[in-house]
């Protein structure tokens, strides 16, 4: 009986070690190699540009994406489809209180709350996006690769409804008679992250 009990304890100990949860590994986002491109559409066309990351991390469990957070430097918002006065005017307007109010809200953050694998190197990412101090959940597909000390994450055409964050300027949803001056409620982000450990 004593031998049986010793065997049972040994098996239990081995099982607990075998099934002990492994803590995800944290990879730090390289803000110089990572990029976010944005697209904003309106009745008469569209504008596009870039915005830089302030910081971030990506969590990986083995070879599987497990979570992460990125902080976006809203003051770096830039138009790449315009030059001269037009470029300056658009950037100034986007940074003003009518849009992102970057003086009061210099950063925006996204924190993943759920990662649902959809295939090898693929997942649906759900998380909270905070813009102008307001938080809303979004979900988008992403692809990723884990190779050595580097992980890359790509999320194309992440759709964001700006009105959820109280950015209503030029929105047909709130100003029905605005006509061809209307700006789409949704804008899109193409996110490419490179992170290392």
């Amino acid at each position: 009986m004593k031998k049986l009990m010793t065997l049972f304890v040994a098996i239990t100990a081995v099982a607990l070690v075998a099934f002990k949860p492994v803590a995800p590994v944290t990879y730090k986002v390289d803000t110089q190699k990572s990029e976010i491109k944005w697209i904003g559409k309106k009745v008469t066309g569209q504008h596009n540009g870039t915005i830089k990351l302030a910081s971030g991390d990506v969590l990986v469990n083995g070879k599987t994406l497990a979570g992460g957070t990125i902080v976006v430097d809203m003051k770096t918002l830039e138009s790449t489809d315009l030059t001269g006065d037009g470029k300056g005017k658009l950037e100034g307007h986007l940074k003003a209180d009518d849009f992102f109010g970057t003086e009061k809200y210099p950063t925006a953050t996204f924190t993943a709350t759920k990662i649902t694998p959809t295939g090898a190197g693929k997942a649906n990412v759900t998380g909270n996006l905070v813009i102008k101090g307001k938080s809303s959940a979004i979900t988008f597909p992403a692809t990723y690769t884990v190779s050595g000390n580097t992980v890359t994450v790509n999320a194309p055409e992440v759709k964001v409804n700006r009105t959820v964050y109280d950015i209503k300027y030029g929105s047909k949803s709130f100003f029905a008679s605005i006509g061809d001056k209307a700006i789409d409620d949704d804008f899109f982000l193409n996110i490419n992250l490179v992170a290392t450990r």
Side-chain angles (χ1 to χ4, degrees), residues 65-185:
L65 190 65
T69 298
I70 58 172
V71 180
V72 180
D73 183 353
M74 297 302 291
K75 289 190 173 185
T76 66
L77 194 152
E78 183 180 0
S79 164
T80 55
D81 67 306
L82 296 174
T83 58
D85 290 343
K87 174 182 169 70
K89 187 176 179 181
L90 176 61
E91 290 174 0
H93 195 188
L94 291 174
K95 293 176 183 178
D97 291 342
D98 277 345
F99 276 92
F100 296 105
T102 61
E103 199 60 46
K104 186 176 180 180
Y105 304 100
T107 60
T109 61
F110 174 79
T111 303
T113 56
K114 183 180 180 183
I115 308 290
T116 306
T118 56
K122 298 179 181 180
N124 283 332
V125 179
T126 297
N128 296 319
L129 178 62
V130 180
I131 298 175
K132 296 187 79 172
K134 292 179 171 54
S135 178
S136 184
I138 62 171
T139 299
F140 53 86
T143 59
Y144 62 91
T145 59
V146 181
S147 179
N149 293 324
T150 303
V151 57
T152 59
V153 181
N154 301 296
E157 296 190 359
V158 176
K159 184 167 73 170
V160 180
N161 184 339
R162 63 188 174 92
T163 64
V164 171
Y165 305 96
D166 202 29
I167 305 171
K168 301 174 182 176
Y169 182 90
S171 169
K172 214 168 186 177
S173 300
F174 295 90
F175 308 100
S177 61
I178 203 164
D180 64 3
K181 293 182 179 179
I183 301 168
D184 287 7
D185 290 348

